[in-house]
Amino acid sequence: SDTAAVRCVLTARDTGARLAEQPLLVAQSEGAGLPSVTVDTSVTFQRIVGFGGAFTEAAAVNWLALDASRREQVLQACFDPGRGHGYSLCRVHMGSCDFALGSYSHVDDDSDLALESFSIARDRQALLPFIRAAQQVAGTTIKLLASPWSPPAWMKTTGQMCHGGSLRPDCRRAWARCYVRFVEAYAAEGVPIWGVSVQNEPAAVQRWDSCLYTAEQERDFVRDYLGPELEAAGLGHRRIVIWDHNR
């Protein structure tokens, strides 16, 4: 055919358009004065790992508050590869974040450098059931990126998880071990972690959980602490993402 029809669907902020069907866009294949795009499949660049969203405590609690049929609708819409978006790469917070129900860490006992008090008991209440249910609907293991918003308050220069602050130098190895314990604990719950990032928004002082790093500090933390601890635990194949900051 000399013409091509393109189906258009519009969702726009501050309007009533929500997956609203638009008139078909019909263009002549030749001579219409419209730009054309040629896709050269022999040339490739970055590899797309997947698409998805974030598993947060707030989302999990709200999901659990739904009735069974609506919980299933949410899961199918987001994770079903045939009837939904088929999300395959998602994020989960390691400790609390701005979409948690309050600030918490997995090692709340002050000065517990040996991590004897490490626990993910809070995650078992809502977050882990949400992730496991999503995995079941997806029919495959969802790649999970675990990101911390803040180390435990006692590991920081400010003594609090919110409003910035930095990781205390004497706590760097213990904090690196927390990543290992988190990955191991989630695996034991049937939720494997695909990768970790050093810090969520490392250049932002937020009124919620936050921690500051320079690029050089992230580099040194990965080189001297996080990388070696993951390797020693047999987790050297886990991905490490650096400068996890906005765009």
Side-chain angles (χ1 to χ4, degrees):
S1 172
D2 291 333
T3 62
V6 179
R7 180 187 176 210
C8 299
V9 180
L10 175 66
T11 295
R13 184 178 179 178
D14 300 324
T15 73
R18 296 292 184 273
L19 299 177
E21 289 280 352
Q22 304 298 299
L24 287 175
L25 182 63
V26 180
Q28 297 290 330
S29 59
E30 297 291 342
L34 296 176
S36 61
V37 176
T38 300
V39 178
D40 185 350
T41 57
S42 68
V43 179
T44 58
F45 297 94
Q46 294 93 342
R47 180 169 58 92
I48 296 174
V49 176
F51 294 93
F55 289 107
T56 65
E57 185 181 52
V61 167
N62 278 288
W63 175 74
L64 283 173
L66 299 172
D67 61 50
S69 64
R70 294 202 174 192
R71 285 201 299 268
E72 187 64 22
Q73 287 177 23
V74 170
L75 294 174
Q76 288 185 1
C78 291
F79 302 103
D80 191 295
R83 294 176 291 176
H85 291 314
Y87 283 175
S88 59
L89 173 66
C90 292
R91 198 174 188 211
V92 63
H93 49 97
M94 194 176 86
S96 56
C97 71
D98 47 330
F99 280 84
L101 303 190
S103 290
Y104 68 90
S105 76
H106 297 300
V107 190
D108 280 332
D109 289 358
D110 291 358
S111 302
D112 182 13
L113 292 173
L115 308 185
E116 294 177 356
S117 61
F118 183 93
S119 173
I120 61 165
R122 179 162 177 157
D123 296 28
R124 295 191 184 102
Q125 297 173 22
L127 196 51
L128 281 163
F130 187 26
I131 298 172
R132 282 195 296 262
Q135 287 180 330
Q136 187 171 3
V137 170
T140 185
T141 299
I142 298 169
K143 290 183 174 67
L144 283 181
L145 175 67
S147 298
W149 266 240
S150 174
W154 59 271
M155 289 190 184
K156 296 178 66 180
T157 56
T158 56
Q160 58 175 316
M161 294 183 70
C162 302
H163 306 288
S166 300
L167 176 65
R168 285 169 37 189
D170 60 317
C171 292
R172 287 179 293 192
R173 188 164 301 282
W175 181 226
R177 281 288 303 158
C178 280
Y179 292 77
V180 172
R181 294 292 300 275
F182 184 85
V183 171
E184 291 175 339
Y186 262 57
E189 298 286 332
V191 179
I193 298 296
W194 171 82
V196 298
S197 76
V198 176
Q199 168 65 38
N200 172 72
E201 296 183 359
V205 176
Q206 309 283 20
R207 64 180 182 271
W208 51 82
D209 314 78
S210 48
C211 185
L212 296 175
Y213 287 78
T214 65
E216 291 78 13
Q217 287 170 335
E218 284 209 4
R219 174 200 64 195
D220 295 349
F221 179 67
V222 169
R223 181 191 62 204
D224 300 333
Y225 299 96
L226 181 57
E229 289 295 336
L230 288 171
E231 184 70 28
L235 300 171
H237 58 293
R238 294 294 187 274
R239 276 71 167 181
I240 298 176
V241 176
I242 59 171
W243 211 248
D244 177 9
H245 188 71
N246 296 331
R247 286 183 288 184

